[in-house]
Amino acid sequence: LGNMLEKKQGNLHIKLRKKIAFISTTKLEHMGLSCDTIEPMKKGHMYKVYIRPKLTYGIDNFSLSVMQVNKLQSIDGSMLKDY
């Protein structure tokens, strides 16, 4: 679905997914869904439902190196912590 399979395309796809996930986080913040009054469990659930899928969409089409997988895990962890 819209992903070109090339050898070095994985890094570009990771950058694009990171940008889209940050935009999703910002949209949730503007709607008031990431303020301190929301319970941490609900915030975690919203992250798993709305933001993480945007970060990982299409990743299974690429063969990622260990370094790219670690980078994705790092992005995921930092976004979850900041959200």
Side-chain angles (χ1 to χ4, degrees):
L1 288 172
N3 292 327
M4 298 294 293
L5 298 176
E6 294 181 16
K7 197 168 193 172
K8 295 186 179 184
Q9 194 72 14
N11 286 333
L12 294 175
H13 189 72
I14 289 172
K15 287 180 184 179
L16 176 66
R17 294 283 105 201
K18 179 181 176 182
K19 182 178 178 180
I20 290 172
F22 276 119
I23 290 170
S24 299
T25 304
T26 305
K27 287 180 180 180
L28 284 176
E29 288 173 357
H30 286 300
M31 290 190 298
L33 297 176
S34 68
C35 60
D36 294 333
T37 59
I38 296 176
E39 298 174 18
M41 292 291 286
K42 289 182 182 177
K43 285 175 70 172
H45 181 71
M46 286 192 314
Y47 176 81
K48 290 177 189 175
V49 170
Y50 295 114
I51 299 169
R52 186 175 284 160
K54 293 189 180 199
L55 181 64
T56 60
Y57 176 77
I59 293 295
D60 52 346
N61 293 334
F62 299 100
S63 58
L64 300 176
S65 67
V66 174
M67 191 160 87
Q68 291 171 328
V69 171
N70 290 341
K71 184 175 181 177
L72 270 176
Q73 289 174 345
S74 173
I75 293 168
D76 186 44
S78 66
M79 288 185 73
L80 180 61
K81 189 174 21 175
D82 292 340
Y83 179 70

